């Protein structure tokens, strides 16, 4: 005898299925960029400049004008290796951060040659309160932001490692700076750099929607003769002052921590986010 379909069971399964789809879609719709910079002030940020105490904004280095975070050296007679960092108030672990920046003007007197049109996004960094007065850079992973000189090739969203190292293609990399595959951005144009950070497992750099570098296992420099260091699962986020004026008009983040223990959903969320090619408008 042919079995009759169980309409009640079918209806229940349909409701459950639609509920799961709805829940997944709703979760993805709720993924929005949080603005770390409010466009008005630096109330959510801390400042650490070399040779100065925490939150001593020497020379008004970090300021807000025209809706931008501006790094300026108008009150410097010379740079004197006073490298600075602007730290957001809280650490993060798994996230995508987006920054839109441009280099402007001239480098301050006695700024190092390598710091011409040079800044950076420091991720998985140390707490600024633990930095010594004369410490130049926080132990961190640096997404190095560079501008071109008008003629030579010079990639951006490179990787530098103050006090750190990482793994790429299964090998530990101790080299301090490694170039990305990005093109060169000359002049004062706005550029968007994004960084996907997944705890201590994966970091990917993007420039104007194009992937330019990826690597694994960010870690502190090893101690006591070890080959590997302590893995960096989270840390501070900061923006650099390295002797060349730079503007940041956007600093925004999508916190992925709530998906960290849900790999399938995390993969879907990331795929959807990175399918959108975000390019800085001029």
């Amino acid at each position: 005898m042919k079995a009759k379909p169980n309409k009640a069971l079918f209806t229940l399964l349909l409701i459950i299925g639609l509920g799961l789809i709805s829940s997944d879609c709703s979760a993805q719709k709720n993924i929005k960029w949080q603005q770390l910079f409010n466009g008005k002030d630096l109330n959510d940020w801390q400042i650490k400049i070399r040779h100065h105490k925490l939150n001593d904004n020497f020379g008004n280095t970090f300021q807000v004008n025209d809706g931008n975070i501006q790094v300026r050296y108008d009150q410097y007679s010379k740079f004197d290796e006073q490298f600075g960092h602007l730290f957001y108030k809280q650490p993060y672990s798994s996230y995508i951060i987006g920054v839109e920046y441009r280099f402007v003007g001239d480098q301050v007197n006695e700024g190092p040659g390598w710091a011409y049109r040079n800044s950076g996004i420091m991720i998985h960094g140390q707490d600024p309160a633990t930095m010594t007065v004369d410490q130049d850079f926080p132990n961190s992973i640096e997404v190095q932001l560079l501008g071109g000189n008008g003629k030579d090739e010079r990639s951006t969203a490179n990787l530098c490692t103050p006090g750190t190292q990482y793994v790429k293609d299964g090998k530990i990399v101790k080299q301090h700076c490694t170039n990305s595959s990005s093109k060169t951005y000359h002049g004062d144009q706005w550029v968007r750099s994004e960084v996907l950070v997944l705890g201590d497992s994966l970091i990917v750099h993007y420039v104007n929607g194009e992937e330019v570098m990826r690597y694994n296992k960010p870690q502190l420099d090893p101690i006591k003769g070890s080959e590997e260091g302590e893995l960096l699962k989270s840390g501070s986020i900061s923006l650099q002052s390295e002797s060349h004026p730079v503007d940041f008009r956007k600093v925004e983040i999508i916190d992925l921590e709530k998906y960290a223990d849900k790999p399938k959903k995390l993969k879907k969320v990331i795929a959807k986010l990175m399918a959108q090619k975000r390019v800085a408008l001029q």
Side-chain angles (χ1 to χ4, degrees):
M1 187 172 96
K2 188 175 181 181
K4 294 181 180 180
N6 189 325
K7 292 184 178 180
L9 178 60
F10 176 78
T11 301
L12 178 61
L13 291 174
L14 180 61
I15 291 172
I16 292 173
L18 289 174
L20 290 174
I21 293 172
S22 176
S23 175
D24 189 54
C25 290
S26 177
Q28 294 195 33
K29 284 181 180 178
N30 289 332
I31 299 171
K32 296 181 179 179
W33 290 95
Q34 173 196 351
Q35 302 304 314
L36 300 189
F37 170 51
N38 62 18
K40 299 176 182 178
D41 54 51
L42 299 176
N43 289 346
D44 292 331
W45 300 76
Q46 297 185 78
I47 295 168
K48 179 63 185 75
I49 298 174
R50 191 184 188 198
H51 305 318
H52 304 276
K53 294 181 179 179
L54 183 63
N55 289 321
D56 177 359
N57 190 13
F58 171 77
N60 198 26
T61 303
F62 296 100
Q63 50 189 270
V64 176
N65 291 299
D66 302 323
N68 300 325
I69 295 175
Q70 296 185 338
V71 180
R72 295 293 186 268
Y73 306 95
D74 299 341
Q75 298 180 35
Y76 285 60
S77 58
K78 60 181 179 179
F79 187 59
D80 196 26
E81 296 189 338
Q82 294 177 100
F83 301 101
H85 296 82
L86 180 67
F87 290 83
Y88 189 64
K89 64 182 180 182
Q90 72 180 67
Y92 286 90
S93 178
S94 295
Y95 56 94
I96 297 176
I97 185 168
V99 169
E100 295 188 8
Y101 68 93
R102 68 177 177 185
F103 292 100
V104 297
D106 298 318
Q107 189 177 17
V108 68
N109 186 37
E110 296 188 12
W114 54 263
Y116 170 81
R117 290 182 172 260
N118 188 335
S119 185
I121 311 165
M122 320 299 278
I123 59 175
H124 277 355
Q126 73 182 100
D127 185 332
T130 67
M131 292 180 67
T132 63
V133 171
D134 295 327
Q135 187 173 341
D136 47 6
F137 305 101
N139 295 329
S140 56
I141 296 293
E142 176 187 350
V143 182
Q144 184 189 53
L145 307 178
L146 297 179
N149 62 10
K151 55 181 180 179
D152 300 312
E153 292 187 3
R154 197 179 191 218
S155 59
T156 189
N158 302 320
L159 170 59
C160 294
T161 54
T164 57
Q165 59 184 28
Y166 61 98
V167 173
K168 185 172 175 59
D169 300 326
K171 297 180 181 179
I172 293 176
V173 181
K174 298 179 180 292
Q175 178 178 313
H176 178 53
C177 286
T178 303
N179 289 343
S180 77
S181 62
S182 91
K183 71 176 191 178
T184 303
Y185 293 87
H186 296 292
D188 297 351
Q189 65 179 300
W190 289 102
V191 181
R192 183 175 178 91
S193 178
E194 294 182 359
V195 190
L196 169 64
V197 183
L198 298 179
D200 60 5
S201 61
L202 175 68
I203 299 177
V204 187
H205 300 187
Y206 302 85
V207 180
N208 280 344
E210 302 291 340
E211 180 181 326
V212 297
M213 175 175 283
R214 70 168 53 209
Y215 49 96
N216 311 93
K217 296 183 178 179
Q219 56 194 262
L220 292 173
D221 282 341
I223 58 175
K224 299 180 180 179
S226 299
E227 181 69 10
E228 297 187 16
E230 178 185 350
L231 289 173
L232 293 170
K233 298 181 180 181
S234 63
S236 62
I237 293 173
S238 60
L239 306 174
Q240 281 190 315
S241 66
E242 286 196 296
S243 76
H244 200 113
V246 58
D247 293 340
F248 297 94
R249 69 179 178 188
K250 274 191 178 181
V251 186
E252 52 189 3
I253 197 167
I254 293 177
D255 192 351
L256 299 173
E257 190 61 27
K258 63 183 177 182
Y259 304 110
D261 59 351
K262 302 172 183 176
K264 289 184 179 179
K265 185 170 285 188
L266 177 64
K267 186 176 180 180
K268 287 182 179 179
V269 169
I270 292 173
K272 183 175 181 179
L273 284 168
M274 303 323 297
Q276 304 169 22
K277 186 174 181 178
R278 290 173 287 275
V279 178
L281 300 176
Q282 302 305 312

